[in-house]
Amino acid sequence: MNTLKIDIKHTRDFINPEEIEAYSDLVKNAFKMIYNKTGAGNNFLGWVNLPTDTDNDTIEDIYKTVNDLSKEIEVFVVIGIGGSYLGARAVIDALNNPFNSFKAISENRHPHIVYAGHNLSQDYLCELLEFLKEKEYAVAVVSKSGTTTEPAVAFRLIKEQMLKKYGEEKTKERIIAVTDKEKGALKMFSDAQGYKTYIIPDDVGGRYSVLTPVGLLPIAMAGYDISALLNGAHFMLEHISETTNLYENPAALYAIIRNILYRKGKSVEIMASYNSSLSYMIEWWKQLFGESEGKELKGIFPAGVNFTTDLHSLGQYIQDGLRMLFVSTINVEKPLHNLTVPYDPDNIDGLNYLAGREIDHINKKAYLGTTLAHVEGGVPNIEISIKKLDEFNLGQLIYFFEMSCAVSGYLLQVNPFDQPGVEAYKNNMFALLGKPGYEKLNDDLMGRINK
Ligand code: PA5
């Protein structure tokens, strides 16, 4: 069976087995808090059973929407930010051939996915609107609260263009809202307009929502198999819940090792991959762990790198800079394609010693060489291996990270499901923009600015 695996041999110079075993009861307790819903944030545990609770009707409905729309459109715009954006992009980028966006859409292909509402860049939005003018497109506006500024601004702009381009009826058919069941401005607006809507369950927070329609709709629209994604997550759910041995339970082991390293002063975790299509998986992971653990003046700072690219830049710091780092590497065991280094009779570049070798073989040796150098330089490495980049293995990876994050947060004694710190910037921005109700904060901020 294709099972995700954790390898901790490159942490052994830093951690001994007794330290791991000392976490046994704490981890058991953390799992109990998750499965019995007795820990902090227990009203946000809906993600635990999403792989089993997502019914066939929802999947079929998503596929029907995809089939109906993809006949008509070239581009699908996913509007959302944070947890309402990163999970979909992580899976789509991991599975996508990056050069497909240069190809024309043919009848057999799925629409190109583009993103909006994940920033407030005027130039990005202008260029996107310009691009969409010439395209047949539809939109998914994804926001649990329905009030987040970035997606709301992007949606307003795109909707205005759609109304001009398509008129009211067709615009209505081309907009899908993914939002809260009943609360929130987007839900009310969508119902009033008659948009197709999908629900984000109340008990699933943004960063844990990729296996709800938040992720499933865009991923299916991009042409990927969401049932296989959920099956992979289901497989991992069962594997984690049935495995009591700490060394064989990947979520337990990863959570324990990172907490031990943190307590030894390793306060930055760098998630690395030697596969460029995992960049957004790392972005999603950064949000998941950063928002879940970074609170009450605690938490590991999650950073990300793409190797070997970043070995030629950040590699210097990782090897020789402040010793507060550990690396976790997502290792993809098998590439999807075969490619070997060609033989060249002139051998001016001296590469004939590699002729006939797979590029992936060279990449794996780069990984091993880097890890050995890092360990020697005081930077441990945790390896997270998946067999290959397909929906089933990515489903496992996602569920593994979600469960590890919840366990790790409880080991750190924080609520892994809230994000009080995210509000601070929003309140300041609203006050500075003059939003009604924020007058006092505006006065305070202006006083600080003009001091
Ligand atoms: O994880 C989170 O809660 C956040 O990243 C949210 O997903 C993000 O702020 C977007 O929120 P909303 O879906 O309400 O627009």
Side-chain angles (χ1 to χ4, degrees), residues 81-84 142-146 148 151 205-207 287 291 419 422 426:
I81 194 165
S84 291
V142 187
S143 178
K144 188 168 183 195
S145 64
T148 308
R207 59 190 176 274
Q287 183 196 359
E291 246 185 3
Q419 54 285 325
V422 175
K426 286 189 192 165

Side-chain angles (χ1 to χ4, degrees), residues 86 90 254 258 268-272 279-292 300-305 326 328 330 384 400-402 404-405:
L86 281 167
Y254 177 52
R258 59 197 303 284
V268 176
E269 177 176 10
I270 303 177
M271 186 59 67
S279 298
Y280 268 88
M281 188 57 77
I282 294 175
E283 291 304 308
W284 172 80
W285 168 86
K286 276 159 62 178
Q287 183 196 359
L288 181 64
F289 279 78
E291 246 185 3
S292 300
I300 297 170
F301 182 83
V305 290
F326 67 100
S328 297
I330 307 173
I384 302 156
F400 153 75
F401 274 137
E402 289 178 343
S404 313
C405 184

Side-chain angles (χ1 to χ4, degrees), residues 143-368:
S143 178
K144 188 168 183 195
S145 64
T147 54
T148 308
T149 309
E150 293 90 334
V153 167
F155 182 49
R156 188 182 270 219
L157 286 163
I158 293 171
K159 181 164 52 73
E160 184 191 61
Q161 190 191 73
M162 290 177 89
L163 285 168
K164 281 190 201 137
K165 183 174 161 109
Y166 295 126
E168 244 174 69
E169 265 322 291
K170 200 162 168 189
T171 296
K172 200 188 284 183
E173 290 163 17
R174 294 271 178 104
I175 294 176
I176 304 162
V178 184
T179 189
D180 185 86
K181 189 164 70 209
E182 47 206 19
K183 303 182 290 260
L186 182 59
K187 178 63 183 159
M188 275 167 4
F189 184 71
S190 303
D191 287 348
Q193 296 294 312
Y195 299 155
K196 167 92 186 154
T197 55
Y198 288 99
I199 299 305
I200 310 173
D202 282 346
D203 56 358
V204 180
R207 59 190 176 274
Y208 290 86
S209 70
V210 54
L211 299 176
T212 72
V214 169
L216 298 179
L217 173 67
I219 293 165
M221 191 65 82
Y224 300 112
D225 183 346
I226 52 175
S227 300
L229 187 77
L230 285 163
N231 286 341
H234 187 185
F235 175 82
M236 188 48 58
L237 178 158
E238 289 190 336
H239 179 50
I240 291 172
S241 63
E242 288 164 8
T243 308
T244 47
N245 182 321
L246 288 184
Y247 289 93
E248 280 161 26
N249 184 321
L253 190 57
Y254 177 52
I256 291 173
I257 298 292
R258 59 197 303 284
N259 272 274
I260 296 175
L261 292 172
Y262 173 63
R263 278 160 219 265
K264 293 187 173 194
K266 305 286 185 197
S267 55
V268 176
E269 177 176 10
I270 303 177
M271 186 59 67
S273 165
Y274 287 72
N275 195 316
S276 57
S277 54
L278 287 174
S279 298
Y280 268 88
M281 188 57 77
I282 294 175
E283 291 304 308
W284 172 80
W285 168 86
K286 276 159 62 178
Q287 183 196 359
L288 181 64
F289 279 78
E291 246 185 3
S292 300
E293 293 191 322
K295 52 197 69 161
E296 298 172 32
L297 306 178
K298 295 193 264 192
I300 297 170
F301 182 83
V305 290
N306 291 299
F307 287 159
T308 61
T309 311
D310 292 329
L311 287 173
H312 298 259
S313 55
L314 289 172
Q316 172 59 38
Y317 192 104
I318 298 169
Q319 190 65 44
D320 282 342
L322 268 183
R323 301 298 70 193
M324 74 232 182
L325 309 171
F326 67 100
V327 175
S328 297
T329 305
I330 307 173
N331 175 44
V332 180
E333 288 173 21
K334 274 206 162 311
L336 301 175
H337 307 281
N338 295 322
L339 187 64
T340 54
V341 177
Y343 178 77
D344 180 344
D346 295 333
N347 198 27
I348 290 168
D349 51 16
L351 282 183
N352 273 356
Y353 80 104
L354 293 175
R357 301 268 181 92
E358 294 264 349
I359 307 301
D360 194 57
H361 168 80
I362 305 171
N363 205 20
K364 295 281 193 302
K365 292 293 178 216
Y367 168 35
L368 183 57

